Amino acid sequence: MRIWKVGDVTITCIVERDLMGLLNMVLPDATAEAIAPLRWLFPHFADERDGLRGYTQAFVVQTPSCRIMVDTCIGNDKDFDAFRPSWSRLQTSFLERMLEAGFSPESMDVVLCTHLHPDHIGWNTRRVGGRWVPTFPNAHYLLGRVEYAAEKARNDNPALDDPRSRGLRIVAAESLAPVLDAGLVEFVETDHVVCDEVRLIPTPGH
């Protein structure tokens, strides 16, 4: 577990899972030999044999006035069959790791979704008794207003009926609709002030 202090703010990294070589597929030129001179990557972000290391991970930002969960990884039990079958119906220990770090789901004040890619919103919800419910029931879920409108327009477009689009509709139904239905979502602009110590700065791109 990695922890950073920035003034009065503490940032704790909660790892969900190792991406097991995915970054090497996305960045094929980042071979072990190519990145060997970049010593700052070692040991957390690369290893000598396999090259780049990557994780799905969340960050708990604790300020004097607010506890913020930044991104919520892939999630357990989610249906990714249409575009990333290896992520489907995972059974990770993410919530247990949160608890070990001293954070219960109920203790979160804010869930900040930096963007709406499926591997950043999965633990927005969890499956309980056969239905999807908010994982962080006492939190405000912050979603970018402009991005959400664009994603919704695409998901609602009947002309888009390819497997990936159908898969994204499933993701929206599993990871977004339950928190919307529960009235926990706050749509925000890209310069939103979260609390005295934290504000958003737009950084377009991935």
Side-chain angles (χ1 to χ4, degrees), residues 29-167:
D29 292 338
T31 62
E33 294 77 16
I35 64 174
L38 306 176
R39 300 316 302 172
W40 65 270
L41 288 171
F42 297 85
H44 297 299
F45 309 111
D47 70 37
E48 306 289 352
R49 184 188 66 184
D50 297 323
L52 290 178
R53 298 181 64 186
Y55 307 91
T56 51
Q57 56 195 350
F59 297 90
V60 177
V61 179
Q62 179 68 63
T63 82
S65 61
C66 189
R67 180 172 286 178
I68 307 163
M69 168 67 71
V70 180
D71 284 344
T72 61
C73 305
I74 296 170
N76 282 0
D77 303 306
K78 297 297 169 76
D79 182 354
F80 285 86
D81 288 348
F83 52 91
R84 188 75 68 186
S86 63
W87 291 357
S88 272
R89 300 167 189 86
L90 294 180
Q91 295 299 314
T92 70
S93 301
F94 179 75
L95 291 184
E96 289 81 358
R97 292 190 185 116
M98 273 185 57
L99 290 170
E100 289 170 4
F103 308 112
S104 70
E106 294 78 14
S107 72
M108 294 298 158
D109 301 304
V110 173
V111 174
L112 170 59
C113 301
T114 62
H115 61 292
L116 299 180
H117 283 181
D119 54 327
H120 291 257
I121 60 173
W123 276 108
N124 283 3
T125 60
R126 56 182 165 176
R127 196 164 179 82
V128 177
R131 66 189 187 96
W132 297 104
V133 301
T135 303
F136 309 99
N138 300 317
H140 295 288
Y141 285 69
L142 305 186
L143 306 184
R145 185 188 310 279
V146 172
E147 184 190 14
Y148 177 78
E151 289 290 322
K152 187 174 187 305
R154 183 171 64 183
N155 288 342
D156 291 348
N157 186 349
L160 297 177
D161 196 33
D162 56 281
R164 181 173 176 80
S165 295
R166 288 195 294 273

